[in-house]
Amino acid sequence: MKRIICILSMLLCMAAETVMAARAPVSEATEECLGCHSSIHPGIVEEWQNSRHARITPREALGVTGLARKVSARTVPDYLLPTAVGCAECHTLNAKVHADTFEHNGVSIHLAVSPRDCATCHTEEAVRYSGNLMAHARKNLAANPLYQDLQQQILGRPVRREGKLTFEPPAAETRQSGCFYCHGTRLEVVGMETRDTVLGEMEFPRLSGWPNQGVGRVNTDGSLGSCAACHTRHAFSIEMARKPHTCRECHVGPDVPAYKVYASSKHGNIYAAMNRQWDFSAVPWTVGKDFTAPTCATCHISLVVNTDGQVLARRTHEMSGRLAWRIFGLIYAHPHPMNPDTTRIRNKSGQPLPTDFDGTYAAEYLIDAGEQVRRTETMQAICLGCHSASWVRGHWKRFERTIRETRSDIRAATGIMADIWARGFAKGPDSDDSPFNEAIERTWCDAWLFYANTVRFSAAMAGGGDYSVFADGRYQLSRRIQELNDWLELRNQLFPPTPPIALRGLPEKPYRVQ
Amino acid sequence: MKRIICILSMLLCMAAETVMAARAPVSEATEECLGCHSSIHPGIVEEWQNSRHARITPREALGVTGLARKVSARTVPDYLLPTAVGCAECHTLNAKVHADTFEHNGVSIHLAVSPRDCATCHTEEAVRYSGNLMAHARKNLAANPLYQDLQQQILGRPVRREGKLTFEPPAAETRQSGCFYCHGTRLEVVGMETRDTVLGEMEFPRLSGWPNQGVGRVNTDGSLGSCAACHTRHAFSIEMARKPHTCRECHVGPDVPAYKVYASSKHGNIYAAMNRQWDFSAVPWTVGKDFTAPTCATCHISLVVNTDGQVLARRTHEMSGRLAWRIFGLIYAHPHPMNPDTTRIRNKSGQPLPTDFDGTYAAEYLIDAGEQVRRTETMQAICLGCHSASWVRGHWKRFERTIRETRSDIRAATGIMADIWARGFAKGPDSDDSPFNEAIERTWCDAWLFYANTVRFSAAMAGGGDYSVFADGRYQLSRRIQELNDWLELRNQLFPPTPPIALRGLPEKPYRVQ
Amino acid sequence: MKRIICILSMLLCMAAETVMAARAPVSEATEECLGCHSSIHPGIVEEWQNSRHARITPREALGVTGLARKVSARTVPDYLLPTAVGCAECHTLNAKVHADTFEHNGVSIHLAVSPRDCATCHTEEAVRYSGNLMAHARKNLAANPLYQDLQQQILGRPVRREGKLTFEPPAAETRQSGCFYCHGTRLEVVGMETRDTVLGEMEFPRLSGWPNQGVGRVNTDGSLGSCAACHTRHAFSIEMARKPHTCRECHVGPDVPAYKVYASSKHGNIYAAMNRQWDFSAVPWTVGKDFTAPTCATCHISLVVNTDGQVLARRTHEMSGRLAWRIFGLIYAHPHPMNPDTTRIRNKSGQPLPTDFDGTYAAEYLIDAGEQVRRTETMQAICLGCHSASWVRGHWKRFERTIRETRSDIRAATGIMADIWARGFAKGPDSDDSPFNEAIERTWCDAWLFYANTVRFSAAMAGGGDYSVFADGRYQLSRRIQELNDWLELRNQLFPPTPPIALRGLPEKPYRVQ
């Protein structure tokens, strides 16, 4: 009897595997790729074999109706309709506009697939994403002289001459494994090379900036971003993108501790304890049924419905559509920029910053109060799937209070820093020097770049008391302000001004763009 | 053949789901709640639908005998016996003593369910919990002037006048999203309000301190705590409470790094790698069979038996019953307080602290050596389920050595701090000033609040070498002591005393309660 | 019908469990152990019951052929062949060479099973491991006077006399719960003792250094290491050792943040999201089929094959065989030591260090460029299972650039530190004083011990931008260099040299071994 049951059990398992493994027909071109690459690169080939791209044809995908539909293009080129979305399908798309297109066994392929390629089927996602701050993450960093200064003082090579420490510009590789790892590199063909392969000598383009999957990567077709940043190659799964570990890749440090705060929140607790029972592939994603606590994607991107099938939030790849405030990365929190290209922004002092050093908004470049309300309500519709109106309002009241308070805290910190510059104890913007290249200036940076950020993340995500207080929170924020004061007061005592000057508070021209 | 097996397989799955989803009858009142709220708040309704509360009636639960019984009340009111524990059952309990009771569609309900409500069925758990330090977490913080001073210097708003930096009292919202997020808020009805709902205008009470699930929340019926802090609403599952992610919500920062230390310990490693195969819902919880490494709950709360069904540890919600030492949150480690209300404690200098600034115990308020032995043995009975007596003794010897050594380390740190106050380089308790509002005082705080704590957690939980040494451990502890000395010595050199005074060591009256 | 299906379903589950639980015959001796210990220590007995050791006999294991074979011994003593590998089998092995062997119910057993014992079946693994740096982790720390000095300044007891702070040697227990927790203790029998047990009074050896499972433990048979460090007792599972949580036990702090960096990398993301679907017990381990992203073990230890069954990397327990560079724990990164006993190394100044304070390699003790290439290629063979040659080369270029740059950064930091020593503002090696016992010296230590390490780990493991920049990365590295300069410049201003001396740069004899 036992044997019979065992055999039956195994048969059931095999049957289930067969169902899972059902695959769409593969094009001849892709078949040819697989001929070699399933041996050479088994890891990525197997990832793809288990992916939805290998199990469904665009024709079938286009046949899905209603909210379950994943392909947003109205039509897909005929030749792509009948076969799986395989190697050849993606790596040959738009061959003419890719600078890295080359002949490979008689086929014109390119190495780096871009959002523009993915747009063939996922048009709306690509369009939305291009309006996202993330798509512009590289340029917004690389073309902003103030950020470039900060980058140089962090990544640069230290040189000391006669007691003066300077940081020389960092190497390209350092920038690529540093800031641009997340912000994205620029992919450029810098030549061709011959490589010895198992099939003999072959020619390949040499790409500078490769490898990279940063969210603002500049592709060889000029498009911005890398879908694989979240939909990891070659599975491109919605499941992985919906889990918080994907976001952790770039959102874990003290400058942007979203993952840490989430993991210590009630939401993160529920996720960690219960996610095995959730369905991360369901489209649309039904609150309560498919999951019982939000992940990053739930609040920021996903199409979320209630158990009646009513839409709580529409799918978006333009995350800022649900965000009223920009709470990290800048000296002060501020309403979200209107345009994802932030290099256009100028504060009233003419700097490429969304606020002045005293916190004043560069208001004409930022969304207005009405838009903030609209975005807040878009986000709150998701909260209300589990929480009462008074719960949500109570939470938001604390969050917005925290925005105001951390702005005020950083004004205090910046006031002390400005006095230090005014007394000449450090050389700052007034002296056309970097505000980031001296130890005491970093004390000031810590306050806004790490601790005010963390406090705001904790408030935004109800992330537990620790990240609000003792874990890179208000304890450390108040401490840095105390340290700024301590440092200044010792020097005031040792080197009193002659004649005594009044402390000036915030400088008028805190930083000049060169 | 394949098809038949597939169909059979699906039928089996459906059957299994049916078994899982078997639900107890629902009361008419709860049925009415569900009528609207299953659409309005699908998330929490679905959580409840999958919960044990929806699957068993109190009558059935009272029928469970022996160690498997979860309902500790001897009797439950008759009207509750025949139906599931649903919305109406909990939100209408003890209506008269809840200040937030209001009329809602003809029913008197209250928003915040309290431990006193849960005690209807879970009497012993509620009673035990009320004797727990956690139940008093809010009051112990809010009614201790020394802690209130620390809170203000951390959460307060910085103001700088003529080189002097002070911190003004923090806003209520800041305290709620800060310390009281974990310690618990006070829920108070501050009025009624009309809200536009899908059913038209309705009246609701406005609660200050809402939302909150802190362990020491003061409820609208005067009871203390929130069961949902660990048994997350509305699943109230034992599984989630037994996993370490729940404790992480409040025990993750450098002040109380229990989760981090656990996650890096051998126990945490086994949990992370193997917990999928464990049974987190079994009552009693059998070591070896249901789990092979402890989680937080195993050692601190759960009813644990061996494979013979013998009790290794009885269930408790008064965690201190298994704890001989209090190893975090205070300047020095010390024997556990006898009474969970720590506001009564006075050290020999009259301060509301369990030790003096020199480490002397406020012994009359703390458990004695005999009780420490009893508690240690209660805990060790669990260790012995997997470890030999010599293993356990070796571990404990190191832990108790660490207690003594960190006490001695902090005496050294406090000695330097006292000299700094004595020389007047900082204004401390002797000058009736806060000991927490200057940068150098925070250097001293770091030593005991973060690093001595972390070292002790690492020793207590066999938490790996890193948290003992380089990760907020002894490296940082010794460093802070060096920094205190460095700071003092520079000033001693710059501003020598005239005439030279002897350094005084620890002050006699280190801090006066105002 | 439902009932029938339910019953059938349950029967299937029971059958599956029966298959899982199939056990090998147990020896009489082990049967006797189990007689008592299954009640006394149910946790470890159940772990073993579920282990492969309980399910297969050495005879069956020796019958496995090809890459699937796990027993590397050619022959196993006859008496061990027919029964499971149980309590008695391991705890009686090599009884005569174990100093902790004692009579226990008529059997000569020893408490601590050693790699030499495990070598009875797993010969090659034990031999390889003994050539591993880890096997020597205790001695390399305990017998190096420079490291012992660092240990004392971190773990020692602070004593302050007349403004001078010193750290007295730490207690044995402190070293055991500190550095030696990971590096390994020395197990020594320090006497016998009588203990009251459930079976009456019994004699047991007293072991100093117990408990411990450090990688370089010195065992009672003189062998080095503890297999249980990774193959946790008494499951000894390959599954657990292959998951990254095992490595996290010792590789999580800022000095060696491998786990943190991994968890935030693309590889760690895939692991966290998808590992439920992987097979962690398969031998050999097939990329793509059994797993789709590497864990620590994949790259550093495991036997990895492609889907054609071709070997990408052979199993090793000598991790350095895949490592060209040693990137943590020392002042400068450098080529791996040739010999795992690093106490033999002397730099050109005669110190027991693989480089001088100026970074110069102690080249005769380190592997040469050819060996570095071989090791790099061994590692890259695994990368190439999923990545193209250009991807791998791009990654490596950045990694090696980071090696060079952090060496240069630390030269700059050490130059400032040397000037501080030269000016007499701190007492360093030139004055025969510890380079680790003053606050400013720790600023220098942070730069190389924490931040340069973290930057290198991030580059080595493609670990995301945060650990490269803001999370203990280049931001903090550059900051520490700024702090060193700031500290020195204030003192240069306050105490100018008379007559002015030239700053000397790196000292000639930076540290003398006493």
Side-chain angles (χ1 to χ4, degrees), chain A residues 279-315:
Chain A
D279 184 347
F280 284 92
S281 298
V283 172
W285 215 14
T286 307
V287 62
K289 182 170 154 284
D290 295 326
F291 64 93
T292 59
T295 65
C296 315
T298 317
C299 297
H300 293 287
I301 303 172
S302 297
L303 165 62
V304 179
V305 303
N306 68 14
T307 43
D308 295 338
Q310 289 172 324
V311 173
L312 301 184
R314 285 184 294 172
R315 179 186 300 123

Short mmCIF file of all heavy atoms in Angstrom, two decimals, chain A residues 279-315:
data_model
loop_
_atom_site.label_atom_id
_atom_site.label_comp_id
_atom_site.label_asym_id
_atom_site.label_seq_id
_atom_site.Cartn_x
_atom_site.Cartn_y
_atom_site.Cartn_z
N ASP A 279 1.12 35.29 -2.81
CA ASP A 279 1.28 35.09 -4.25
C ASP A 279 1.89 36.35 -4.84
O ASP A 279 1.23 37.38 -4.95
CB ASP A 279 -0.09 34.80 -4.88
CG ASP A 279 0.05 34.49 -6.37
OD1 ASP A 279 1.12 34.75 -6.94
OD2 ASP A 279 -0.92 33.97 -6.95
N PHE A 280 3.15 36.26 -5.22
CA PHE A 280 3.86 37.43 -5.73
C PHE A 280 3.75 37.59 -7.23
O PHE A 280 4.30 38.52 -7.79
CB PHE A 280 5.34 37.37 -5.33
CG PHE A 280 5.58 37.71 -3.89
CD1 PHE A 280 5.60 36.73 -2.92
CD2 PHE A 280 5.76 39.02 -3.51
CE1 PHE A 280 5.81 37.05 -1.58
CE2 PHE A 280 5.97 39.35 -2.18
CZ PHE A 280 5.99 38.37 -1.21
N SER A 281 3.06 36.66 -7.88
CA SER A 281 2.97 36.74 -9.33
C SER A 281 1.59 37.14 -9.81
O SER A 281 1.41 37.38 -11.00
CB SER A 281 3.34 35.37 -9.93
OG SER A 281 4.66 35.03 -9.60
N ALA A 282 0.63 37.22 -8.88
CA ALA A 282 -0.74 37.53 -9.30
C ALA A 282 -0.85 38.94 -9.88
O ALA A 282 -0.32 39.89 -9.32
CB ALA A 282 -1.68 37.39 -8.10
N VAL A 283 -1.52 39.04 -10.99
CA VAL A 283 -1.82 40.34 -11.61
C VAL A 283 -3.29 40.34 -11.97
O VAL A 283 -3.72 39.46 -12.72
CB VAL A 283 -0.97 40.58 -12.87
CG1 VAL A 283 -1.43 41.84 -13.61
CG2 VAL A 283 0.50 40.68 -12.52
N PRO A 284 -4.10 41.26 -11.42
CA PRO A 284 -3.71 42.30 -10.47
C PRO A 284 -3.39 41.69 -9.10
O PRO A 284 -3.66 40.51 -8.87
CB PRO A 284 -4.96 43.19 -10.41
CG PRO A 284 -6.09 42.26 -10.69
CD PRO A 284 -5.54 41.29 -11.70
N TRP A 285 -2.88 42.53 -8.22
CA TRP A 285 -2.42 42.06 -6.91
C TRP A 285 -3.49 42.43 -5.89
O TRP A 285 -3.78 43.60 -5.68
CB TRP A 285 -1.10 42.78 -6.60
CG TRP A 285 -0.11 41.93 -5.85
CD1 TRP A 285 -0.14 40.60 -5.66
CD2 TRP A 285 1.09 42.41 -5.20
NE1 TRP A 285 0.96 40.21 -4.92
CE2 TRP A 285 1.73 41.28 -4.64
CE3 TRP A 285 1.69 43.67 -5.05
CZ2 TRP A 285 2.93 41.38 -3.92
CZ3 TRP A 285 2.87 43.76 -4.36
CH2 TRP A 285 3.49 42.63 -3.80
N THR A 286 -4.10 41.39 -5.29
CA THR A 286 -5.27 41.62 -4.44
C THR A 286 -4.88 41.68 -2.96
O THR A 286 -4.37 40.69 -2.41
CB THR A 286 -6.30 40.50 -4.64
OG1 THR A 286 -6.59 40.39 -6.04
CG2 THR A 286 -7.57 40.78 -3.87
N VAL A 287 -5.11 42.81 -2.36
CA VAL A 287 -4.78 42.98 -0.94
C VAL A 287 -5.62 42.01 -0.10
O VAL A 287 -6.81 41.82 -0.36
CB VAL A 287 -4.99 44.45 -0.51
CG1 VAL A 287 -6.43 44.88 -0.66
CG2 VAL A 287 -4.53 44.68 0.90
N GLY A 288 -4.98 41.40 0.87
CA GLY A 288 -5.69 40.45 1.71
C GLY A 288 -5.60 39.04 1.18
O GLY A 288 -5.26 38.12 1.89
N LYS A 289 -5.88 38.89 -0.11
CA LYS A 289 -5.87 37.57 -0.72
C LYS A 289 -4.45 37.17 -1.14
O LYS A 289 -3.97 36.09 -0.78
CB LYS A 289 -6.80 37.58 -1.95
CG LYS A 289 -6.91 36.25 -2.67
CD LYS A 289 -8.03 36.30 -3.70
CE LYS A 289 -7.80 35.31 -4.83
NZ LYS A 289 -6.76 35.74 -5.79
N ASP A 290 -3.79 38.03 -1.90
CA ASP A 290 -2.45 37.67 -2.40
C ASP A 290 -1.35 38.05 -1.41
O ASP A 290 -0.27 37.48 -1.44
CB ASP A 290 -2.18 38.37 -3.74
CG ASP A 290 -3.11 37.87 -4.84
OD1 ASP A 290 -3.46 36.68 -4.81
OD2 ASP A 290 -3.49 38.68 -5.70
N PHE A 291 -1.62 39.02 -0.59
CA PHE A 291 -0.61 39.47 0.38
C PHE A 291 -1.34 40.19 1.50
O PHE A 291 -2.45 40.69 1.31
CB PHE A 291 0.42 40.39 -0.28
CG PHE A 291 -0.17 41.67 -0.81
CD1 PHE A 291 -0.18 42.82 -0.03
CD2 PHE A 291 -0.74 41.72 -2.07
CE1 PHE A 291 -0.74 44.00 -0.50
CE2 PHE A 291 -1.31 42.90 -2.55
CZ PHE A 291 -1.31 44.04 -1.77
N THR A 292 -0.71 40.24 2.66
CA THR A 292 -1.38 40.87 3.80
C THR A 292 -0.58 42.03 4.40
O THR A 292 -0.97 42.59 5.42
CB THR A 292 -1.70 39.85 4.91
OG1 THR A 292 -0.48 39.24 5.35
CG2 THR A 292 -2.64 38.77 4.40
N ALA A 293 0.54 42.36 3.78
CA ALA A 293 1.26 43.58 4.15
C ALA A 293 1.98 44.06 2.91
O ALA A 293 2.38 43.25 2.07
CB ALA A 293 2.26 43.30 5.27
N PRO A 294 2.15 45.36 2.78
CA PRO A 294 2.77 45.88 1.57
C PRO A 294 4.27 45.62 1.54
O PRO A 294 4.93 45.58 2.56
CB PRO A 294 2.50 47.39 1.65
CG PRO A 294 2.36 47.67 3.11
CD PRO A 294 1.73 46.43 3.69
N THR A 295 4.79 45.40 0.34
CA THR A 295 6.23 45.50 0.11
C THR A 295 6.47 46.87 -0.53
O THR A 295 5.53 47.64 -0.73
CB THR A 295 6.72 44.39 -0.84
OG1 THR A 295 6.12 44.60 -2.12
CG2 THR A 295 6.35 43.01 -0.30
N CYS A 296 7.71 47.16 -0.88
CA CYS A 296 8.02 48.44 -1.52
C CYS A 296 7.14 48.64 -2.75
O CYS A 296 6.58 49.72 -2.96
CB CYS A 296 9.48 48.49 -1.95
SG CYS A 296 10.65 47.88 -0.73
N ALA A 297 7.05 47.57 -3.56
CA ALA A 297 6.32 47.68 -4.82
C ALA A 297 4.84 48.00 -4.62
O ALA A 297 4.25 48.78 -5.38
CB ALA A 297 6.45 46.37 -5.61
N THR A 298 4.24 47.44 -3.60
CA THR A 298 2.81 47.66 -3.35
C THR A 298 2.50 49.15 -3.30
O THR A 298 1.56 49.63 -3.94
CB THR A 298 2.39 47.03 -2.01
OG1 THR A 298 2.98 45.75 -1.89
CG2 THR A 298 0.88 46.94 -1.89
N CYS A 299 3.25 49.86 -2.49
CA CYS A 299 2.96 51.29 -2.29
C CYS A 299 3.47 52.15 -3.44
O CYS A 299 2.91 53.20 -3.70
CB CYS A 299 3.59 51.77 -0.99
SG CYS A 299 2.90 50.92 0.45
N HIS A 300 4.55 51.74 -4.09
CA HIS A 300 5.20 52.66 -5.01
C HIS A 300 4.93 52.37 -6.49
O HIS A 300 5.09 53.26 -7.32
CB HIS A 300 6.70 52.68 -4.75
CG HIS A 300 7.05 53.28 -3.43
ND1 HIS A 300 6.96 54.63 -3.18
CD2 HIS A 300 7.44 52.72 -2.26
CE1 HIS A 300 7.29 54.88 -1.92
NE2 HIS A 300 7.59 53.75 -1.33
N ILE A 301 4.55 51.15 -6.84
CA ILE A 301 4.48 50.79 -8.26
C ILE A 301 3.24 50.00 -8.67
O ILE A 301 2.64 50.26 -9.69
CB ILE A 301 5.71 49.94 -8.64
CG1 ILE A 301 6.99 50.68 -8.31
CG2 ILE A 301 5.67 49.57 -10.12
CD1 ILE A 301 8.23 49.84 -8.46
N SER A 302 2.90 49.00 -7.86
CA SER A 302 2.02 47.93 -8.35
C SER A 302 0.57 48.36 -8.57
O SER A 302 0.08 49.32 -7.99
CB SER A 302 2.04 46.78 -7.35
OG SER A 302 3.32 46.23 -7.25
N LEU A 303 -0.07 47.57 -9.41
CA LEU A 303 -1.52 47.61 -9.60
C LEU A 303 -2.14 46.82 -8.45
O LEU A 303 -1.98 45.60 -8.37
CB LEU A 303 -1.86 46.96 -10.94
CG LEU A 303 -3.31 46.57 -11.20
CD1 LEU A 303 -4.22 47.80 -11.17
CD2 LEU A 303 -3.43 45.86 -12.55
N VAL A 304 -2.86 47.51 -7.58
CA VAL A 304 -3.41 46.87 -6.38
C VAL A 304 -4.93 46.95 -6.42
O VAL A 304 -5.49 48.02 -6.69
CB VAL A 304 -2.88 47.57 -5.10
CG1 VAL A 304 -3.46 46.93 -3.86
CG2 VAL A 304 -1.36 47.53 -5.06
N VAL A 305 -5.59 45.84 -6.17
CA VAL A 305 -7.06 45.83 -6.13
C VAL A 305 -7.53 45.26 -4.80
O VAL A 305 -6.79 44.60 -4.10
CB VAL A 305 -7.65 44.99 -7.29
CG1 VAL A 305 -7.18 45.51 -8.64
CG2 VAL A 305 -7.30 43.51 -7.13
N ASN A 306 -8.79 45.53 -4.47
CA ASN A 306 -9.36 44.92 -3.28
C ASN A 306 -10.06 43.61 -3.65
O ASN A 306 -10.08 43.22 -4.82
CB ASN A 306 -10.29 45.89 -2.54
CG ASN A 306 -11.56 46.21 -3.32
OD1 ASN A 306 -11.89 45.52 -4.29
ND2 ASN A 306 -12.25 47.26 -2.90
N THR A 307 -10.60 42.94 -2.66
CA THR A 307 -11.16 41.60 -2.93
C THR A 307 -12.41 41.65 -3.80
O THR A 307 -12.87 40.62 -4.29
CB THR A 307 -11.48 40.88 -1.60
OG1 THR A 307 -12.10 41.81 -0.71
CG2 THR A 307 -10.21 40.35 -0.95
N ASP A 308 -12.95 42.86 -4.00
CA ASP A 308 -14.05 43.00 -4.95
C ASP A 308 -13.54 43.27 -6.37
O ASP A 308 -14.33 43.47 -7.29
CB ASP A 308 -14.96 44.18 -4.55
CG ASP A 308 -15.66 43.91 -3.22
OD1 ASP A 308 -15.79 42.73 -2.84
OD2 ASP A 308 -16.05 44.89 -2.57
N GLY A 309 -12.21 43.32 -6.51
CA GLY A 309 -11.64 43.60 -7.83
C GLY A 309 -11.57 45.07 -8.17
O GLY A 309 -11.19 45.44 -9.28
N GLN A 310 -11.92 45.93 -7.20
CA GLN A 310 -11.84 47.38 -7.47
C GLN A 310 -10.39 47.85 -7.34
O GLN A 310 -9.67 47.43 -6.43
CB GLN A 310 -12.71 48.13 -6.48
CG GLN A 310 -14.20 47.95 -6.73
CD GLN A 310 -15.04 48.53 -5.64
OE1 GLN A 310 -14.65 48.48 -4.48
NE2 GLN A 310 -16.18 49.09 -5.99
N VAL A 311 -10.01 48.74 -8.23
CA VAL A 311 -8.62 49.22 -8.25
C VAL A 311 -8.37 50.20 -7.11
O VAL A 311 -9.05 51.23 -6.99
CB VAL A 311 -8.32 49.89 -9.60
CG1 VAL A 311 -6.93 50.53 -9.58
CG2 VAL A 311 -8.41 48.85 -10.72
N LEU A 312 -7.40 49.88 -6.25
CA LEU A 312 -6.97 50.83 -5.22
C LEU A 312 -5.87 51.74 -5.76
O LEU A 312 -5.78 52.90 -5.41
CB LEU A 312 -6.47 50.08 -3.98
CG LEU A 312 -7.47 49.15 -3.29
CD1 LEU A 312 -6.84 48.56 -2.02
CD2 LEU A 312 -8.76 49.89 -2.94
N ALA A 313 -5.02 51.14 -6.60
CA ALA A 313 -3.94 51.94 -7.20
C ALA A 313 -3.61 51.35 -8.55
O ALA A 313 -3.54 50.13 -8.70
CB ALA A 313 -2.71 51.92 -6.31
N ARG A 314 -3.42 52.22 -9.54
CA ARG A 314 -3.06 51.75 -10.86
C ARG A 314 -1.56 51.50 -10.95
O ARG A 314 -0.78 52.15 -10.27
CB ARG A 314 -3.49 52.78 -11.91
CG ARG A 314 -5.00 52.76 -12.15
CD ARG A 314 -5.39 53.71 -13.24
NE ARG A 314 -5.14 55.09 -12.83
CZ ARG A 314 -5.25 56.14 -13.64
NH1 ARG A 314 -5.60 55.97 -14.90
NH2 ARG A 314 -5.03 57.36 -13.19
N ARG A 315 -1.18 50.54 -11.79
CA ARG A 315 0.25 50.28 -11.98
C ARG A 315 0.93 51.53 -12.53
O ARG A 315 0.37 52.24 -13.36
CB ARG A 315 0.45 49.13 -12.97
CG ARG A 315 1.92 48.83 -13.23
CD ARG A 315 2.09 47.79 -14.33
NE ARG A 315 1.44 46.55 -13.97
CZ ARG A 315 0.49 45.96 -14.70
NH1 ARG A 315 0.07 46.51 -15.83
NH2 ARG A 315 -0.05 44.83 -14.31
#
